[in-house]
Amino acid sequence: MTTLDAPPTPTAAPPEHRPQRGRIDVLGPRLPRGEEVLTPEALDLLAHLHDRFGPRRAELLADRARRRTSVTNGRDLRFRPETAAIRTDPSWRVAGTGPGLADRRVEITSPADRRSATAALGSGAQTWVADLEDGTSPTWGNVIDGQVVLADAVRGWLGAPEGATPPTIILRPRGWHLVEKHLCASDAGGRRTPASASLVDFGLYMAANARELVTRGSGPYFYLPKLETAAEARLWDDVFTETERVLGLASGTIRATVLIETISAAFEMEEILFELREHCAGLNAGRWDYLASIIKEFRGRGPSWVLPDRSALTVTTPFMRAYTELLVATCHRRGAHAIGGMSTAIPDDRDPEGTERALAGVAADKRREAGQGFDGTWVAHPGLVATARDAFDGELAGATDQLGRLREDVTVTATDLLDVRGSTGPVTDEGVRANVSVAVRYMEAWLRGIGAVPIDGQVEDASTAEVSRAQLGQWLAHGTTTTEGTRVTPGYVEQLLDEVVAAQPRTADDRFDEAARLVRAVTSGEDNPTFFTVPGYVGHLVEAAHS
């Protein structure tokens, strides 16, 4: 295999802008081709980004915790009065599309392993969302191999089939809340902390590929996950600006699309676009994480906030409809693409009738999104690309976007976004069992290093599993009683865990026992974690440092 070309040497900074004398130490084991992405230049860039932006990241994460406590104590979220001028100013627009981003009708998302990448690049989708976040179990091997695969893909070494146009690559790094413990950031004073996973995924990709992408007529493009406020978007924008300066790239070379997948971010969509406007391409309706966010944010508010079975929580539910309508209207008012949510069905050649039903459901979902005004959508399987594209083509009538549909008919209030009480559908015995089953089966695969898992005809990733475990935690916290009269208690969940695990085919190297312990820890405890991946990573995926 040909090795990568060396990333560009950072341009010299004037004295007043020279970075502090921080450093990044590699603690993780040496891996095949790891030296091609963990270059001295890449580590220097990571050290500089941590020196410059690490303290702000820590402050923003502390703000998250304070805001969550405030909401639990009864403060309702609202559109911020102090930023009303941004929302009412009609003059500003975002940067919009970069080379290769004008057509985003179908975006396929998958982990960045070699097999998934090859399938995505040959899928016929307009873009490939290379997912280092919810679709990747962040083992050290997966983190580094993902960067190697991405560098190969950028250079055309994993090309699409002959004659096909490969999709534009968009990288989804891990969120601000996550760390990469196999890299240690030391500041000028010698203080050592685990590296920010966001900066690691972003920085390694930029160092290895930014110049190559520009040379090939594309650019470094990103999906930003789990943002909660415009201040967090501003941090990303400052990271982009500084990285462009250090690498000698033109201002605005980087483009980002933000996943609106937290309830707090839904109240700051316009401000998020504004803070990122020089680098912003659009917003995406990350509906699974959005559901999980609502469940977790209002977990302590009382039984009236308890939501029904996961299967009943569709995008046509009124509070979900309000969120997606607001997203489209906000994006188009500012010249940004609005990208729809994920379809997770898996076509199965062994079950033609089941596949036909699944594709019909996907087609209906995508026609609904196109009818709302979305400019494109996500799918998780190559077999869904044609169905999704046909649905959008039927609405777009030869165009590649719907930016001209301003949706001036849309009016969404804070009440509309927060009116989750009384959502249709019951909590059932089957709904509880399904959540236990998805949570333990997904977490078992995740502990083995697999981040996107086929379960019962659907691709499950960390976001869908998070909905399942968040609902279990909510039902346990309130002692919810199902329509069949069963009270959801730790004992009942324990019984279901035993039954689900006993029904699985066991092997010598499976992780079901650990997965069951993890499910218990992230559902039954009083210290409910913000994401199951946080304790899961620290407790199970961190490898010993090499000497």
Side-chain angles (χ1 to χ4, degrees):
M1 171 64 71
T2 307
T3 57
L4 305 180
D5 51 328
T9 302
T11 56
E16 66 271 18
H17 293 301
R18 281 178 186 160
Q20 301 177 38
R21 295 178 178 269
R23 71 174 190 273
I24 295 288
D25 294 315
V26 180
L27 306 182
R30 293 181 177 88
L31 297 169
R33 298 185 64 193
E35 72 282 354
E36 297 177 28
V37 292
L38 293 169
T39 63
E41 294 84 0
L43 296 178
D44 283 348
L45 175 61
L46 288 182
H48 177 61
L49 294 178
H50 280 81
D51 280 339
R52 188 75 177 265
F53 302 110
R56 274 178 61 192
R57 169 182 170 268
E59 291 170 5
L60 289 169
L61 293 178
D63 287 344
R64 282 187 180 185
R66 287 189 287 268
R67 185 172 53 257
R68 193 166 293 114
T69 298
S70 176
V71 170
T72 298
N73 290 337
R75 185 181 73 86
D76 278 335
L77 297 168
R78 59 177 181 165
F79 296 102
R80 294 169 57 198
E82 64 270 27
T83 56
I86 292 173
R87 297 193 298 274
T88 57
D89 179 357
S91 64
W92 62 271
R93 296 287 186 276
V94 301
T97 64
L101 276 183
D103 184 355
R104 303 178 66 176
R105 285 170 294 162
V106 183
E107 302 194 327
I108 187 168
T109 181
S110 76
D113 62 85
R114 196 162 298 272
R115 178 179 177 181
S116 299
T118 301
L121 291 168
S123 68
Q126 277 67 50
T127 78
W128 170 40
V129 181
D131 189 6
L132 298 185
E133 199 226 9
D134 282 343
T136 292
S137 171
T139 66
W140 178 234
N142 285 346
V143 168
I144 297 305
D145 184 60
Q147 292 287 346
V148 171
V149 169
L150 282 162
D152 287 352
V154 166
R155 288 156 179 79
W157 299 342
L158 296 176
E162 187 174 351
T165 301
T168 298
I169 299 172
I170 309 176
L171 174 66
R172 177 159 69 159
R174 286 169 285 177
W176 281 131
H177 61 290
L178 296 172
V179 297
E180 177 48 69
K181 280 182 165 285
H182 301 99
L183 295 173
C184 178
S186 299
D187 66 14
R191 291 181 292 271
R192 293 164 57 87
T193 58
S196 159
S198 300
L199 294 180
V200 168
D201 295 344
F202 167 80
L204 293 181
Y205 184 72
M206 287 296 294
N209 303 301
R211 286 285 185 84
E212 183 73 22
L213 285 161
V214 172
T215 298
R216 290 173 174 266
S218 183
Y221 302 143
F222 298 90
Y223 257 111
L224 305 182
K226 307 295 188 290
L227 295 190
E228 295 193 8
T229 63
E232 295 178 12
R234 177 57 183 268
L235 176 57
W236 268 119
D237 192 72
D238 289 345
V239 168
F240 294 160
T241 298
E242 179 64 7
T243 304
E244 287 168 341
R245 185 194 67 79
V246 170
L247 297 184
L249 302 171
S251 178
T253 298
I254 296 169
R255 288 288 194 275
T257 304
V258 176
L259 289 137
I260 301 298
E261 50 190 356
T262 64
I263 181 64
S264 57
F267 282 90
E268 299 191 27
M269 291 186 200
E270 206 134 20
E271 292 89 337
I272 286 170
L273 289 176
F274 181 81
E275 295 293 359
L276 278 163
R277 62 195 180 280
E278 300 302 326
H279 295 101
C280 194
L283 303 178
N284 173 289
R287 56 202 191 191
W288 291 110
D289 271 305
Y290 188 76
L291 276 173
S293 168
I294 289 173
I295 295 166
K296 291 181 287 187
E297 196 81 5
F298 299 106
R299 182 174 183 261
R301 282 290 193 92
S304 63
W305 290 82
V306 172
L307 294 179
D309 285 358
R310 172 180 143 173
S311 60
L313 296 172
T314 70
V315 287
T316 60
T317 303
F319 72 90
M320 292 294 290
R321 179 80 179 188
Y323 142 73
T324 55
E325 296 271 76
L326 179 62
L327 188 147
V328 172
T330 301
C331 282
H332 288 183
R333 184 164 57 250
R334 304 303 181 181
H337 276 135
I339 308 299
M342 172 70 78
S343 287
T344 58
I346 303 174
D348 186 352
D349 292 340
R350 298 166 300 179
D351 181 10
E353 291 184 3
T355 295
E356 184 177 355
R357 288 192 300 272
L359 293 179
V362 170
D365 180 45
K366 299 316 179 188
R367 284 195 298 268
R368 177 196 50 75
E369 287 184 329
Q372 281 184 271
F374 280 98
D375 303 292
T377 193
W378 272 20
V379 298
H381 191 280
L384 304 181
V385 170
T387 298
R389 186 173 55 245
D390 288 347
F392 270 80
D393 286 348
E395 184 73 30
L396 272 60
T400 57
D401 62 59
Q402 302 191 77
L403 289 171
R405 285 187 65 184
L406 299 182
R407 294 304 312 272
E408 293 174 337
D409 57 306
V410 171
T411 301
V412 174
T413 67
T415 299
D416 296 328
L417 291 174
L418 294 174
D419 190 16
V420 302
R421 289 166 287 189
S423 297
T424 57
V427 177
T428 68
D429 285 357
E430 180 53 37
V432 181
R433 177 181 289 275
N435 278 350
V436 170
S437 179
V438 166
V440 74
R441 291 156 72 192
Y442 178 80
M443 291 182 196
E444 190 275 333
W446 187 84
L447 292 172
R448 288 188 288 110
I450 303 171
V453 186
I455 297 178
D456 299 334
Q458 302 289 322
V459 175
E460 301 279 350
D461 68 6
S463 67
T464 57
E466 186 69 15
V467 175
S468 291
R469 82 93 187 175
Q471 283 203 301
L472 288 172
Q474 185 186 49
W475 295 337
L476 281 165
H478 295 289
T480 300
T481 299
T482 68
T483 55
E484 293 86 355
T486 307
R487 190 163 182 235
V488 183
T489 64
Y492 180 51
V493 172
E494 186 69 31
Q495 173 191 329
L496 293 177
L497 270 173
D498 289 344
E499 292 174 2
V500 169
V501 170
Q504 306 308 311
R506 302 296 298 268
T507 64
D509 59 351
D510 74 48
R511 309 287 289 272
F512 279 109
D513 294 333
E514 290 170 82
R517 288 195 293 271
L518 182 56
V519 171
R520 293 185 197 101
V522 299
T523 57
S524 301
E526 291 184 7
D527 185 21
N528 195 43
T530 52
F531 296 92
F532 84 83
T533 52
V534 174
Y537 173 74
V538 174
H540 299 275
L541 299 189
V542 178
E543 301 179 45
H546 68 73
S547 58

